[in-house]
Amino acid sequence: MCGIVGYIGKKDCTKILLDSLSKLEYRGYDSAGIAVFENSEIRVEKTKGRIAQLEEKIHRNGWINGSCGIGHTRWATHGEPSDVNSHPHGNANISIVHNGIIENYSKIKAFLETKGYVFESQTDTETVAKLLDYYYNGDPIDAIRNVISDIEGSYALGILFKDFPNKIYAVRKDSPLIVGVGDDEAFIASDIPAFLKFTNKYYLLETNEIVVLDNGKAEIFDKHGFTIQKELMVADWDMEAAEKGGYEHFMLKEINEQPSAISSTISPRIADGMPNLNECGLTQEKLASYSNIFVVACGTAMHAGLVGKYVIEQIGRIPVTVDVASEFRYRNPIITNKDLVIVVSQSGETADTLEALRLSKKMGADTLAIVNVVGSSISREADMVIYTHAGLEISVASTKAYSVQIAVFYLLAFELAYAKGAISKEECMRLTKELESVPAMLEIVLKQDVICKYVASTLVNAENLLYIGRGLDYAMSMEGSLKLKEISYIHSESYAAGELKHGTISLVTDAMPVIAVATQRNLFDKTVSNAKEVKARGGKVIFVTHNYINVDDDVADYKIGLPTIDDLLMPMLTVVPLQLIAYYTSVLRGNDVDKPRNLAKSVTVE
Ligand code: AGP
């Protein structure tokens, strides 16, 4: 939702904060600001707009010369993007940056107003700043402990106290915050890319642990104020992962990283030609014992769960329910201790998914997290975790994370089906081998970008689009539609192809392109009929299917052909042209592909 950073060391703090914030712009970018100790005073510069505008403002008003400070890049939750609503918030004595939502801020604000405080912004964060001021009696940790006992909601806070120049205080609950530790310098950040250039060593903070950065070192206290020792983690990502590597956008880089991401994810989980997920505690006995499986996630992660549903039900014969986390939490789901709840999340910080996980645990289900970010909140709270190895995913539109998520679902489905005796060892090995062939196949598919770029050029002025498919192709059409919407800003919706004639086909005109996904050969003829219905009404059809299948003119205007693997695994290939079509359409429309409007990479608020 927002990005927060902090630096203390011997270098130019302002420069480091701006550089670190730029690495977190994918988390939120409608305003930005920094607070730096300059001659023992807290100097704040902040503005509506991107980091670039902040840098211009700092140059205009005079560089801030200091070696200790905090910074923030915002995705507005309370109060529109504006200078006054930008972070940091506070006064000459206290300055804070915040990621999260304070749910009881109105009550606290009303209390503080009775104490004479006057508010100038519309943010919940300003309430925290003034509450800190209210409790501050010369002991920062005491003030912080009082504040966190009063506020409710999610927060990662970076704090400066004027009385303690060249110290940074920080605390978190539900919003991510990590502590980077370098040579005589230390950092706080919402995510690793912020300081990866300087160090890959970091501490993970647990809920309401307080960290004090002082003299380039980090000291961590529990919520009672006692010092605690933490394990120093080492990120296996390098700066190259946080750079574009010669691609125009992170999204295109990450689309092209899918073959290696899939290999890194599945290879360690295949032994003697068979899937093996024991590392996470999911034994075959346990897998075979579940009565129901629930998959809960948001956005693209939920779409990965849809593929998981089709595959697990098709070969494992266990009922799988897929829910968006924001619905699951409030529909009073019927879950027992015989059920498995799988939560899927690239960031591992999505608020709704985290709360759905907590609800599932409370209801007695076994919980498994499929997560990309090591040490994220969801990975730490689930009973079992399978880490995907997609590496850093920076573009807001999720691509390689989706592919590795469905790759894990395939492994899970194969192992579960075999454990239940629903498929033979030979069949399990055949499917596993087919999965292992995907990275090489993807290299072929990635070369299809010319046709995808051309198709994008035919969509660039469209205002509405339909994606249709059946079975696994319907699941793919949902992901293709979301990709297009979120980065091209063209309205699109995915529709079960067989459902089209029950109303939605009334929308079809020559101005309504339809992308028909038809890789499931048992349903191919039916999808062809649906495409013909669209063509017969003047609609333009783009057909995604196997290379070897000829598609007549009365079925489609354009065909995107894919190499053939087992239909069950075709989603691993199908998603790439759908990603590329969305990418090129966005580029042709001049959008900021990696940082689309109104979006943030990780939605850590409800
Ligand atoms: C994907 O392209 C979107 N940016 C979004 O739907 C995302 O998948 C969703 O917010 C879930 O995020 P997570 O995987 O980090 O939980």
Side-chain angles (χ1 to χ4, degrees):
M1 284 318 279
C2 297
I4 69 174
V5 296
Y7 170 77
I8 187 166
K10 298 184 166 48
K11 299 176 183 132
D12 178 345
C13 179
T14 299
K15 183 175 183 314
I16 288 181
L17 292 179
L18 290 169
D19 183 58
S20 298
L21 286 175
S22 69
K23 296 288 184 295
L24 296 187
E25 262 200 317
Y26 62 88
R27 297 178 59 84
Y29 31 83
D30 54 44
S31 48
I34 64 172
V36 175
F37 278 110
E38 186 175 57
N39 307 321
S40 298
E41 297 291 330
I42 300 174
R43 187 169 148 209
V44 174
E45 292 291 353
K46 61 182 188 176
T47 184
K48 175 183 175 183
R50 295 284 173 92
I51 311 287
Q53 278 103 315
L54 174 64
E55 185 159 7
E56 283 165 20
K57 186 168 187 178
I58 292 170
H59 279 299
R60 224 175 21 253
N61 296 347
W63 198 254
I64 311 178
N65 298 301
S67 58
C68 174
I70 52 179
H72 185 271
T73 182
R74 183 173 184 238
W75 185 83
T77 52
H78 293 76
E80 84 281 353
S82 66
D83 290 3
V84 75
N85 286 334
S86 309
H87 302 206
H89 286 279
N91 54 31
N93 299 313
I94 289 175
S95 190
I96 77 168
V97 289
H98 167 227
N99 173 26
I101 281 193
I102 305 304
E103 292 174 352
N104 62 338
Y105 87 98
S106 303
K107 192 172 71 166
I108 295 172
K109 182 174 178 177
F111 165 73
L112 291 168
E113 284 170 333
T114 65
K115 299 296 179 186
Y117 284 92
V118 177
F119 288 78
E120 61 259 356
S121 82
Q122 303 153 298
T123 67
D124 54 342
T125 306
E126 187 185 5
T127 303
V128 179
K130 287 177 162 60
L131 192 62
L132 269 171
D133 185 73
Y134 171 75
Y135 277 123
Y136 181 64
N137 59 7
D139 179 343
I141 289 188
D142 193 46
I144 292 168
R145 289 176 59 212
N146 282 317
V147 165
I148 59 179
S149 64
D150 282 1
I151 58 178
E152 294 163 12
S154 58
Y155 49 85
L157 295 171
I159 309 166
L160 300 181
F161 291 88
K162 183 188 173 209
D163 292 348
F164 297 85
N166 298 329
K167 280 191 181 186
I168 296 174
Y169 297 79
V171 65
R172 71 168 289 254
K173 174 179 170 288
D174 293 346
S175 290
L177 189 70
I178 50 183
V179 182
V181 181
D183 297 331
D184 285 336
E185 59 187 10
F187 306 78
I188 57 168
S190 303
D191 201 352
I192 284 176
F195 54 69
L196 198 55
K197 184 175 175 180
F198 306 99
T199 182
N200 64 352
K201 297 181 182 65
Y202 64 99
Y203 293 111
L204 290 170
L205 281 187
E206 300 295 341
T207 293
N208 287 339
E209 289 178 346
I210 299 167
V211 60
V212 181
L213 302 189
D214 178 10
N215 198 18
K217 299 283 181 280
E219 193 172 7
I220 300 172
F221 302 85
D222 66 17
K223 61 183 176 184
H224 307 294
F226 297 112
T227 306
I228 48 179
Q229 298 307 314
K230 305 270 298 177
E231 179 192 357
L232 186 63
M233 313 283 283
V234 180
D236 60 4
W237 295 329
D238 55 25
M239 253 334 279
E240 191 269 335
E243 300 300 334
K244 291 180 189 158
Y247 288 95
E248 190 182 353
H249 299 99
F250 280 111
M251 184 177 178
L252 188 57
K253 174 187 175 200
E254 289 154 9
I255 288 172
N256 282 277
E257 286 176 335
Q258 290 180 114
S260 59
I262 292 165
S263 294
S264 308
T265 298
I266 63 175
S267 306
R269 285 119 181 190
I270 294 172
D272 305 325
M274 290 286 281
N276 182 327
L277 297 170
N278 287 349
E279 109 243 5
C280 71
L282 255 186
T283 62
Q284 291 194 7
E285 293 68 33
K286 202 178 241 187
L287 264 176
S289 70
Y290 293 119
S291 308
N292 296 284
I293 293 177
F294 295 82
V295 179
V296 187
C298 299
T300 287
M302 186 274 283
H303 295 159
L306 283 177
V307 172
K309 168 188 171 67
Y310 279 106
V311 178
I312 292 171
E313 288 188 341
Q314 195 161 318
I315 62 171
R317 310 310 296 157
I318 286 188
V320 180
T321 306
V322 180
D323 276 279
V324 289
S326 53
E327 288 298 309
F328 177 84
R329 296 175 60 190
Y330 301 108
R331 70 175 180 83
N332 198 12
I334 301 163
I335 297 176
T336 73
N337 59 9
K338 293 185 172 47
D339 298 332
L340 173 66
V341 175
I342 303 173
V343 290
V344 187
S345 176
Q346 187 286 128
S347 64
E349 299 297 346
T350 299
D352 283 318
T353 309
L354 178 59
E355 290 306 326
L357 167 62
R358 290 169 175 166
L359 172 65
S360 304
K361 289 179 73 173
K362 209 180 291 176
M363 298 181 81
D366 281 356
T367 57
L368 165 67
I370 299 176
V371 178
N372 196 44
V373 177
V374 174
S376 54
S377 303
I378 288 172
S379 69
R380 283 186 279 163
E381 295 195 25
D383 300 317
M384 302 170 279
V385 60
I386 296 177
Y387 281 117
T388 52
H389 301 157
L392 219 41
E393 184 176 77
I394 288 181
S395 187
V396 167
S398 188
T399 50
K400 61 178 180 174
Y402 171 83
S403 293
V404 295
Q405 286 161 1
I406 61 175
V408 169
F409 273 113
Y410 280 110
L411 290 173
L412 195 65
F414 301 164
E415 185 161 45
L416 179 149
Y418 173 65
K420 286 178 63 74
I423 61 172
S424 67
K425 181 166 185 178
E426 291 68 30
E427 177 62 358
C428 189
M429 292 182 78
R430 182 189 72 80
L431 289 169
T432 304
K433 193 164 182 54
E434 197 82 335
L435 179 60
E436 288 182 296
S437 76
V438 164
M441 288 290 192
L442 275 180
E443 296 295 356
I444 299 168
V445 177
L446 285 164
K447 292 182 174 53
Q448 298 261 37
D449 69 341
V450 174
I451 176 71
C452 296
K453 202 181 285 186
Y454 175 71
V455 164
S457 69
T458 70
L459 302 177
V460 67
N461 298 315
E463 289 175 9
N464 298 287
L465 239 106
L466 276 180
Y467 285 74
I468 63 172
R470 290 168 179 259
L472 279 167
D473 289 330
Y474 175 41
M476 299 317 298
S477 73
M478 293 182 83
E479 176 56 14
S481 172
L482 175 62
K483 284 281 110 26
L484 185 84
K485 275 186 285 193
E486 65 176 328
I487 61 174
S488 76
Y489 315 150
I490 296 174
H491 169 255
S492 76
E493 67 178 298
S494 69
Y495 227 81
E499 188 61 12
L500 210 53
K501 52 187 168 301
H502 297 286
T504 302
I505 198 163
S506 66
L507 293 177
V508 172
T509 68
D510 59 1
M512 164 76 94
V514 173
I515 295 183
V517 185
T519 69
Q520 301 302 294
R521 281 166 286 187
N522 64 323
L523 299 166
F524 181 81
D525 293 342
K526 297 184 185 307
T527 306
V528 165
S529 305
N530 300 133
K532 283 182 175 175
E533 289 155 12
V534 170
K535 283 287 289 171
R537 287 158 181 81
K540 182 166 61 181
V541 173
I542 294 127
F543 213 72
V544 183
T545 187
H546 299 257
N547 265 329
Y548 76 90
I549 295 179
N550 291 321
V551 177
D552 297 336
D553 292 347
D554 65 340
V555 173
D557 298 84
Y558 311 105
K559 172 196 161 184
I560 295 176
L562 295 164
T564 292
I565 56 176
D566 190 296
D567 283 8
L568 197 69
L569 287 129
M570 281 304 287
M572 298 292 303
L573 308 185
T574 309
V575 71
V576 170
L578 301 180
Q579 294 166 343
L580 289 171
I581 287 169
Y583 171 76
Y584 287 117
T585 305
S586 177
V587 170
L588 290 170
R589 286 169 68 99
N591 295 349
D592 186 339
V593 175
D594 288 326
K595 296 192 282 287
R597 69 186 182 202
N598 306 339
L599 292 180
K601 181 62 181 171
S602 176
V603 184
T604 55
V605 292
E606 281 203 38

